[in-house]
Amino acid sequence: MRAEEFHIGSIIKAKLKEQERSEAWLARKVHCDPGNFNRILKRNSMDMDLLRRISICLNYNFIGEFAQYVDQEIEKQFLNMSKSE
């Protein structure tokens, strides 16, 4: 998975569906305008403080999931660099 393939908005939407919650519910919980929140979820990146608040509301560590993805990318890069030496 490349960076542009890690789409945090899609991951949040999937977790909302799993918990049978709506985007409007989450927008209210994190004190965002629902229309603006919908646009935020369409992006593949977002503000870390907002992501922290979303994580708390949904009781799921989205930041940890992203960190695992970054660790995998670093490992791939390291392996590629090692092969080329």
Side-chain angles (χ1 to χ4, degrees), residues 16-61:
L16 280 168
K17 184 175 182 178
E18 179 183 304
Q19 294 185 13
E20 299 179 348
R21 305 234 185 234
S22 70
E23 289 178 27
W25 173 85
L26 185 55
R28 285 190 303 274
K29 289 290 190 181
V30 297
H31 308 290
C32 282
D33 174 78
N36 189 43
F37 191 70
N38 185 297
R39 287 187 293 280
I40 290 169
L41 292 180
K42 289 180 181 177
R43 299 184 201 147
N44 64 353
S45 64
M46 75 173 53
D47 176 76
M48 290 298 286
D49 185 59
L50 177 57
L51 189 56
R52 178 190 59 81
R53 294 189 329 245
I54 291 170
S55 293
I56 292 166
C57 288
L58 293 178
N59 196 30
Y60 184 81
N61 189 349

